[in-house]
Amino acid sequence: MRQAFRLYNVADSLSAHFSTASQPSLKSQLRELYKRIHPDRFHGFPPARDANERSFKMLQEYLTAGKPFTCSLHVDCPTLSHASCCCSLSVSNLCAATHLHLHRVCTCLEMTHLSPTAKQGDQGTAALPYNFVFYLHQSQDQTSQQKGAAADVATQQGGVVPDGLHKVSLTLPPPARKDYAQPDQLPAATQASIGKLLSACGLQSDVEGALSNEQASKRLRLFVPAAAEMGRQRAAAELGPKSQLSMVRTALRLGRQVTVGLSTSLKHKSAAVQADILTRLAGALDRTPDVDMAWVHLMVGEEGYGPDKLGRLWLHADASQALWSQYLKQADLAECARRQRLVSRVKDLEATVAQRAGVNMLYTSEQLQLQPKYIHFLERIADAAATVGPISDRTMRQVPLQVLSERSAEAQAAGQSNAEQLYVTISVAADLKQVYSALQNKGPAALAALQKHNADKQRLEDFRHTVEKRLRIRRLARDETLQDAQFISCCKRMLYNCTSLSQIMEGLSFRISHTNLVSPEGSHIDIAWDFEI
């Protein structure tokens, strides 16, 4: 082997912090790995021998990328050089150990390094993964079923593998950069990746200092590099279905003038599932060429059929294409159009009332929105405000007005629960004088609460933008169920640990949530608000 291989010596640093007698050291496992993939074991298979040279060269780069200082275990290949090692492990001792402890299962490793685009120093990590391909000698204690399964894997992965060998592929995330908090240790993320490599080679992956899967999932230094690679893979897998989904939506809108929406539960499904639903819907519409579906708003969900109060026509997601087309032929599209016109009229009336009365906006609940008494209320207030004019206090232009049913308004008045509301409430039976009186009495408190809410919202936005800028994150979002205090606490901790976190977070999209996980479509990574470094 023409290239000297340097294995990062972490045994001493690990033993200084951990003393688990039942677990081998990472140094000893790397030695054992070298024995198993030694090129001398593959004279009968030159491609495997050549792959071993390339792979160990890349393994050197993988470990060097994560080490905080230069302290290496230098191993020269005895087949090409008899130079002395720069540490206590000599070539002769290694050869002797190789012959004395040679296992029946030998491994050849071929690794293709996809030209990482990392910046030097502490500014980032490698943007592309390391792809490993293992050629393993089958041991005599393997069953015929295991050998057959290994042969099937090799066939699926491509390439001609001689008898007695099988091929296994492995992809590791880019190596983590040095950890300033623990400068004498190999980064934990790199240790976890090397553990996968050892396990694939038939070695023990649990070494001194390694974390359990549960511990690793809680630590961002271990979780984020692997999550970033998983997100890239999921995003690549979703690329085709997303394009198909967009094309089907466009075809429905341009070809049939149909607007299609999905229920909240279906929106959380993968792009492939959504694309399949819309494709089936397009097929159902093709079966009904004589039905005028122009400007119909179709919704697909998991509950039932028929038009809702807003004039949207619902279809069940699990129904067949034939059942959809049959239902669309019998659907009362005229009723859907009538409800849509009614919704449009109500929205216009609400905007008119807000303008004439001098308030920010006016709205009500979905249950009351299309009822005749609410429409009559809007018409009365609009006519009266056109005659009297808007409220004299111009600050009320910032305050929203919510209209309640008589029963809800009475219950709220009895409970006195509007002290911290961001709006003023009024009964649907009120006249313009009562509306203006409610604005004068409750408006200042609602305005103060609204201004405080906006200030708090701006503070959260400032935190978000600061974290994005300091950590060089592409986008930082927030889980809607997260409390403000939890979000702020997480942002502060991210800024406090900016130096170390920017190394693993740069260029990625995150959402602060309750647990660490990767989004199904790979668009972002969720991190727990109470994360561990």
Side-chain angles (χ1 to χ4, degrees), residues 2-3 34 42 45 77 115 160 183 243 266 327 335 356 396-397 414 430 433 453 469 479 506 523 530:
R2 302 182 184 280
Q3 182 70 29
Y34 179 77
F42 297 92
F45 188 27
C77 177
S115 300
V160 178
S243 300
L266 291 181
Y327 174 76
E335 176 63 18
R356 293 180 179 179
M396 293 297 103
R397 294 184 182 276
K433 183 178 180 179
H453 171 77
K469 183 177 180 180
D479 190 333
E506 181 178 359
S523 61
D530 55 347

Side-chain angles (χ1 to χ4, degrees), residues 113 316 366 477:
H113 186 194
H316 199 285
E366 184 177 332

Side-chain angles (χ1 to χ4, degrees), residues 112-259:
T112 303
H113 186 194
L114 300 181
S115 300
T117 57
K119 300 177 182 179
Q120 296 298 323
D122 303 329
Q123 302 304 316
T125 58
L128 296 175
Y130 288 73
N131 296 328
F132 295 83
V133 178
F134 300 90
Y135 294 88
L136 299 123
H137 279 286
Q138 296 176 354
S139 60
Q140 291 181 347
D141 56 351
Q142 283 184 299
T143 64
S144 59
Q145 183 178 3
Q146 291 174 327
K147 293 180 180 180
D152 292 339
V153 171
T155 301
Q156 294 172 1
Q157 294 172 344
V160 178
V161 182
D163 294 338
L165 295 178
H166 69 274
K167 181 180 179 182
V168 178
S169 296
L170 178 68
T171 299
L172 297 183
R177 294 298 181 184
K178 61 183 180 181
D179 185 355
Y180 289 101
Q182 297 175 318
D184 58 340
Q185 289 193 28
L186 196 67
T190 303
Q191 291 187 39
S193 298
I194 294 300
K196 294 181 181 179
L197 176 64
L198 296 174
S199 177
C201 294
L203 298 171
Q204 185 170 342
S205 60
D206 296 331
V207 296
E208 292 182 4
L211 299 175
S212 65
N213 291 336
E214 181 178 0
Q215 291 173 320
S217 65
K218 296 180 179 179
R219 305 227 175 153
L220 294 189
R221 286 198 183 99
L222 292 177
F223 170 72
V224 171
E229 171 58 23
M230 184 182 298
R232 280 190 287 266
Q233 294 176 359
R234 290 184 178 180
E238 290 283 304
L239 185 60
K242 282 184 177 179
S243 300
Q244 181 183 2
L245 180 62
S246 177
M247 288 188 294
V248 175
R249 282 186 182 276
T250 302
L252 290 172
R253 185 174 63 254
L254 298 180
R256 299 297 297 268
Q257 290 80 46
V258 173
T259 301

Side-chain angles (χ1 to χ4, degrees), residues 39-71:
D40 285 353
R41 311 274 68 82
F42 297 92
H43 282 304
F45 188 27
R49 183 182 59 202
D50 297 339
N52 186 60
E53 292 191 29
R54 294 192 299 270
S55 67
F56 243 65
K57 178 182 176 182
M58 296 305 161
L59 180 58
Q60 171 191 341
E61 294 180 7
Y62 192 88
L63 293 171
T64 303
K67 65 181 183 180
F69 64 93
T70 302
C71 176

